Amino acid sequence: MVVRIKGSISNCYLLLGEQPVLVDTGAPGDLKRILAGLKAHQVEVKDLALILLTHGHSDHAGCAAELKRRSGAQVALHTGDVELVREGRNGVLAVRDILGRILRPFVDEPFEAFEPDMIFRDGFSLAPYGIRGRVLATPGHTTGSASVVLASGEAIIGDVLRGSLLMPNRARDHYFCNDPESNTRSIVRLAREGLLRCYPGVFGSFPGSELGDFLRTDSGEVMSLSGEPV
């Protein structure tokens, strides 16, 4: 079961399997929202078996250090973003549009630095936590971005894409992306999974069929589901 916990800027998600897993930890200052979201589903912070970060930006890793202390749970992060959380800074936020340029000063905030416990490269299975799913590397937004793909056909995709504020069930390019072509390849990787529902870091979820609208690189190449230009 996927439970959305809304933060001040971005979403966190609670995976309810044999052991609860928290995906992302909101922005600095979101701790009360997260604790309330856990409590609403009868989960105490000390019950968390794993804290998984889709990437190392402040709106996703902002409360990781405090939740790690309170829960004793390991924090998992892709190796590509380890330096970001060790420094407690976002690094480069490459804007994709005018709105991104406007938003950047408001979201580019420091957060408490920490050392991740589980550093992965390609991904890993969530079976040890009683969850039928796995973590996949989906770089582009950041070097170390990752997604959670569940056997139910649902996926938590971080900031690979965002939802839409005004048009429910629609996907949009995220405001920031450090490597758009890598991000397109990550969308291809997700599209190959035949997903039914995608849960992004910003705004609401959307059908997996929306991924097909974003299989084009910034240079104009259209990518097939094999990952090759058409």
Side-chain angles (χ1 to χ4, degrees), residues 4 8 23 43 50 66 88-89 92 99 101 131 146 186 194 224:
R4 178 189 182 193
S8 57
V23 181
V43 175
L50 178 70
E66 181 62 24
R89 296 192 175 276
V92 175
L99 188 53
R101 195 174 302 279
I131 295 171
S186 291
S224 69

Side-chain angles (χ1 to χ4, degrees), residues 8 20 52-53 70 95 120 147 153 178-179 189 206 224:
S8 57
L52 169 65
L53 301 179
R70 292 188 180 215
V95 299
F120 61 91
S147 298
N178 287 359
D179 187 341
R189 186 175 191 186
F206 51 83
S224 69

Side-chain angles (χ1 to χ4, degrees), residues 100-202:
R101 195 174 302 279
I102 294 170
L103 291 174
R104 184 166 55 184
F106 300 98
V107 300
D108 191 10
E109 59 180 329
F111 57 99
E112 184 180 353
F114 63 92
E115 181 66 29
D117 306 283
M118 183 189 302
I119 299 172
F120 61 91
R121 183 175 298 277
D122 296 319
F124 60 93
S125 172
L126 293 172
Y129 308 97
I131 295 171
R132 295 179 61 217
R134 66 197 193 282
V135 179
L136 300 177
T138 49
H141 178 73
T142 65
T143 303
S145 289
S147 298
V148 179
V149 175
L150 302 173
S152 62
E154 300 168 292
I156 299 169
I157 65 169
D159 287 344
V160 172
L161 292 168
R162 64 175 175 88
S164 173
L165 178 62
L166 300 178
M167 300 181 67
N169 292 311
R170 297 299 301 271
R172 296 286 184 265
D173 284 318
H174 198 274
Y175 308 114
F176 313 107
C177 185
N178 287 359
D179 187 341
E181 296 212 2
S182 290
N183 198 66
T184 298
R185 294 184 185 280
S186 291
I187 295 171
V188 168
R189 186 175 191 186
L190 291 169
R192 285 203 302 259
E193 298 289 331
L195 297 173
L196 301 176
R197 198 85 192 162
C198 296
Y199 297 89
V202 180

Side-chain angles (χ1 to χ4, degrees), residues 31-112:
L31 183 64
K32 289 184 178 180
R33 295 170 184 254
I34 295 169
L35 296 178
L38 297 179
K39 186 176 181 179
H41 290 85
Q42 293 77 53
V43 175
E44 299 292 332
V45 67
K46 60 182 177 56
D47 296 331
L48 292 175
L50 178 70
I51 298 169
L52 169 65
L53 301 179
T54 60
H55 58 290
H57 282 163
S58 63
D59 60 327
H60 293 256
C63 295
E66 181 62 24
L67 286 168
K68 176 180 176 179
R69 279 193 294 270
R70 292 188 180 215
S71 67
Q74 290 192 322
V75 177
L77 178 68
H78 188 281
T79 184
D81 280 7
V82 168
E83 290 307 313
L84 298 181
V85 303
R86 283 175 175 165
E87 295 179 5
R89 296 192 175 276
N90 287 328
V92 175
L93 288 178
V95 299
R96 300 198 76 171
D97 54 26
I98 294 175
L99 188 53
R101 195 174 302 279
I102 294 170
L103 291 174
R104 184 166 55 184
F106 300 98
V107 300
D108 191 10
E109 59 180 329
F111 57 99
E112 184 180 353

